[in-house]
Amino acid sequence: MIRLNQLKLPVDHTREQLIHKTAQYLRIPAADILELQIVRQSLDARKKPALFYSYSVNVTVKKEEKVYKDACRRLGKANVLLTEKTEYLFPAEGSTQQKHPTVIIGMGPAGLFCGYYLAQHGYAPVILERGADVDARQADVEAFWQTGRLKPDSNVQFGEGGAGTFSDGKLNTLVKDKYGRNTEVLKTFVKHGADPAILYQAKPHIGTDVLSKVVKSMREEILRMGGEVRFHSQMTEILTENGQVTGVKVNDTEVLPCEQVVLAPGHSARDTFSMLYRKQFPMSAKPFAVGFRVEHPQSLINMSQYGAESVKGLGAAAYKVTAKTSTGRGVYSFCMCPGGYVVNASSEKGMLAVNGMSYSGRESSNANSAMIVTVTPEDYGNGTLDGMKFQRILEKNAYKAGEGKIPVQLLGDFKRNVPSTTLGAVTPCIKGEYKLANVRQILPDYIAGALSEGVTGCDRYIKGFDMDEALFAGVESRTSSPVRITRNDELVSSGCTGLYPCGEGAGYAGGITSAAVDGIKVAEKIAEQLF
């Protein structure tokens, strides 16, 4: 099979044109191409408004050796190479050595994929999820956005699918994996209802409306394969004896015996972190980032990225910006949601946190992203749970600033440190009630000042990014876990045999795909240990 890189075509091309272009590059008749698979598709906007897709493709052709040698001589080995189809392989099938089923704590991407791959290979795990199934959870979240009545265990953070279910469903990751786990995650999503285009898009996304259906389908498959899923079942204690897991306590009453526990609680499981700290499981504070959601007109972002306010065949444009401030602190965009919404993502009463979300169509009138600043234990304290305490302080400040609603401020007012009293050209696209306020007072001065300077600096990437009428909403405090639950090279807790810290909440992932990959890695380790 021949891998061909740097194939460029206008964004409105057809598949037939891609095949024809490939044949031209290889100097063969199109009929000699037996199979063509898109490996990667990325947007080339360097000559906007003329926009192109750049492709890497795998092709099977007649007289492959001759065609390859000729193309390699003309185009160079950087653009033409031989490759083979590779398939992900799980290390071991199910064993009868388990006295009790593996228990998985949390049904976000890490727990879901760990459970899915254990069940698929005969290990029949039990998944405990403190929140509701995705259908009931959606109803609870919509009711919260409309009424403000929060259910602490069924919200944007907790429930089937984890926090990522109410997000843009972005699947790109910077994690490199030579074993094919990244691709395997995407293939699993496609199998359960995602658009096959995510297999090759440079910045794949599903959208919260589709992701919720995918998550439900994966759960149904786990059940069909012999696994068990229990909702409204919070792990409240890990039971051990002589440094070995012996079981878990569920909802403070039921004891569930087990020898392997996968701890994938998500980055907002603060009561779980507190329990682990009391029980002296090895863990440490880690850096994370805080800031605000910023909203701009999507047309402004499209004009900057595409050279036009809209382009047929292309959805809402994304962006990534960063700036270094005079104090040396970096400000950067995170979890950018084209055509999206700012959402009330709170999970504790009397506190308020926001996140960004897009549906699959990305059709709202605004673009939003988190504009954030990294904080470390040097900023918030060196205690293991001090980062978590810092998040809570900010969220209490946000709740107070908005009187229980999402506090919103015009960017110009934020820079002047005065409360906003009227909106300008940007109308908020927000899920949940909001209130004009002074969000600058939510954050410490060193963070607020960095954001003010950093957003202005990002105008060099996107003209108008620092427009006075852009909107800040806050507080964005759940960018990643404030702790890391220590594990060794075998992915086992350094303080307890049989305990596998896993995913974003444990401090080993950052996003849907990397969390899912970590879940698969833990499933592999359990299978290897049991086989």
Side-chain angles (χ1 to χ4, degrees):
M1 183 183 300
I2 298 173
R3 169 75 55 82
L4 196 59
N5 298 322
Q6 299 295 325
L7 282 170
K8 290 186 180 180
L9 286 163
V11 294
D12 59 351
H13 72 83
T14 64
R15 181 171 176 83
E16 288 72 21
Q17 288 172 318
L18 177 59
I19 293 171
H20 182 70
K21 185 80 169 183
T22 303
Q24 279 185 321
Y25 266 53
L26 295 175
R27 293 186 178 176
I28 60 175
D32 284 1
I33 296 177
L34 306 177
E35 182 183 359
L36 184 147
Q37 176 194 13
I38 300 173
V39 177
R40 184 176 175 84
Q41 176 201 66
S42 58
L43 184 67
D44 185 345
R46 288 175 293 179
K47 296 181 179 179
K48 54 180 175 283
L51 304 174
F52 300 88
Y53 279 132
S54 179
Y55 287 98
S56 292
V57 299
N58 286 342
V59 289
T60 303
V61 301
K62 297 177 181 179
K63 301 179 181 179
E64 181 179 281
E65 185 176 354
K66 179 179 182 300
V67 171
Y68 167 72
K69 288 181 178 179
D70 176 64
C72 198
R73 185 182 67 255
R74 289 183 295 102
L75 302 173
K77 291 187 177 181
N79 290 320
V80 184
L81 62 151
L82 289 178
T83 187
E84 295 181 359
K85 284 186 177 180
T86 57
E87 297 292 334
Y88 166 77
L89 294 175
F90 194 80
E93 294 299 318
S95 165
T96 59
Q97 295 181 28
Q98 275 188 293
K99 184 177 179 181
H100 301 102
T102 297
V103 174
I104 298 171
I105 310 303
M107 205 175 178
L112 177 64
F113 272 79
C114 185
Y116 185 92
Y117 278 81
L118 285 176
Q120 188 177 60
H121 295 279
Y123 293 93
V126 176
I127 303 178
L128 303 180
E129 169 52 54
R130 69 191 295 168
D133 67 85
V134 72
D135 291 330
R137 183 186 179 198
Q138 282 183 310
D140 290 339
V141 169
E142 290 288 347
F144 169 58
W145 287 339
Q146 292 173 15
T147 67
R149 290 193 292 271
L150 175 69
K151 288 192 174 181
D153 286 330
S154 183
N155 48 58
V156 171
Q157 305 296 344
F158 298 130
E160 184 176 19
T165 303
F166 292 92
S167 70
D168 188 58
K170 284 176 287 293
L171 302 177
N172 50 302
T173 177
L174 298 178
V175 176
K176 304 298 181 185
D177 184 86
K178 64 181 180 179
Y179 299 103
R181 299 186 189 98
N182 288 343
T183 301
E184 186 68 10
V185 168
L186 299 181
K187 286 181 177 179
T188 302
F189 281 136
V190 170
K191 177 182 177 182
H192 290 278
D195 187 341
I198 67 172
L199 294 172
Y200 55 78
Q201 291 171 331
K203 296 179 180 179
H205 81 104
I206 297 181
T208 189
D209 49 335
V210 175
L211 185 56
S212 60
K213 295 181 176 66
V214 169
V215 165
K216 182 177 179 179
S217 176
M218 289 183 66
R219 179 238 301 169
E220 291 171 344
E221 182 74 355
I222 289 171
L223 296 175
R224 188 192 66 78
M225 294 185 295
E228 182 181 351
V229 177
R230 295 172 57 175
F231 296 110
H232 303 292
S233 299
Q234 181 181 357
M235 183 278 295
T236 49
E237 186 178 352
I238 297 172
L239 306 176
T240 63
E241 188 173 320
N242 299 322
Q244 164 69 51
V245 166
T246 59
V248 297
K249 189 171 284 188
V250 184
N251 295 336
D252 289 318
T253 54
E254 178 187 3
V255 172
L256 197 59
C258 61
E259 290 73 47
Q260 297 88 25
V261 170
V262 179
L263 185 59
H267 60 40
S268 295
R270 293 167 174 171
D271 46 6
T272 300
F273 299 151
S274 296
M275 179 273 294
L276 294 171
Y277 181 71
R278 289 195 304 272
K279 298 274 288 185
Q280 298 184 334
F281 286 92
M283 56 196 297
S284 60
K286 61 176 280 292
F288 55 99
V290 297
F292 297 118
R293 281 274 150 184
V294 63
E295 287 194 273
H296 294 92
Q298 185 62 53
S299 57
L300 182 147
I301 304 302
N302 289 355
M303 180 60 73
S304 173
Q305 306 299 79
Y306 296 158
E309 290 191 357
S310 64
V311 177
K312 185 178 181 180
L314 291 182
Y319 66 79
K320 185 176 182 179
V321 293
T322 183
K324 190 171 184 178
T325 66
S326 56
T327 64
R329 287 189 182 269
V331 175
Y332 59 99
S333 60
F334 171 79
C335 187
M336 194 270 149
C337 296
Y341 296 86
V342 176
V343 305
N344 190 330
S346 305
S347 60
E348 293 181 294
K349 292 183 177 180
M351 303 182 209
L352 193 145
V354 298
N355 195 11
M357 181 189 83
S358 293
Y359 297 109
S360 56
R362 289 177 162 176
E363 293 173 342
S364 92
S365 58
N366 287 354
N368 78 73
S369 72
M371 293 300 297
I372 51 177
V373 178
T374 298
V375 292
T376 70
E378 292 181 353
D379 295 310
Y380 57 72
N382 291 310
T384 301
L385 301 182
D386 281 356
M388 185 179 80
K389 294 174 184 176
F390 180 67
Q391 289 176 325
R392 279 177 163 157
I393 290 170
L394 301 186
E395 291 171 19
K396 288 177 181 177
N397 291 345
Y399 188 90
K400 181 179 178 181
E403 298 178 358
K405 302 173 183 178
I406 296 174
V408 173
Q409 186 176 25
L410 275 68
L411 182 56
D413 292 336
F414 176 84
K415 292 177 181 179
R416 292 186 290 272
N417 195 15
V418 296
S420 291
T421 56
T422 59
L423 291 170
V426 183
T427 300
C429 289
I430 287 180
K431 295 289 186 177
E433 294 183 293
Y434 65 88
K435 178 181 175 62
L436 291 173
N438 187 351
V439 304
R440 188 174 183 123
Q441 296 180 355
I442 294 170
L443 297 175
D445 288 342
Y446 68 89
I447 298 177
L451 286 170
S452 181
E453 183 181 345
V455 169
T456 298
C458 290
D459 196 66
R460 64 193 176 107
Y461 297 109
I462 299 174
K463 196 66 177 173
F465 194 82
D466 68 343
M467 61 185 288
D468 280 353
E469 293 176 309
L471 299 175
F472 262 164
V475 61
E476 177 92 17
S477 53
R478 313 282 184 95
T479 55
S480 65
S481 179
V483 300
R484 178 170 286 116
I485 305 167
T486 311
R487 70 186 188 188
N488 60 25
D489 290 343
E490 295 302 308
L491 310 189
V492 177
S493 167
S494 55
C496 186
T497 302
L499 179 64
Y500 294 82
C502 180
E504 189 164 347
Y508 296 98
I512 293 172
T513 301
S514 61
V517 165
D518 202 55
I520 294 175
K521 288 167 64 177
V522 168
E524 292 169 357
K525 289 295 184 182
I526 291 172
E528 289 170 356
Q529 188 261 330
L530 291 172
F531 190 68

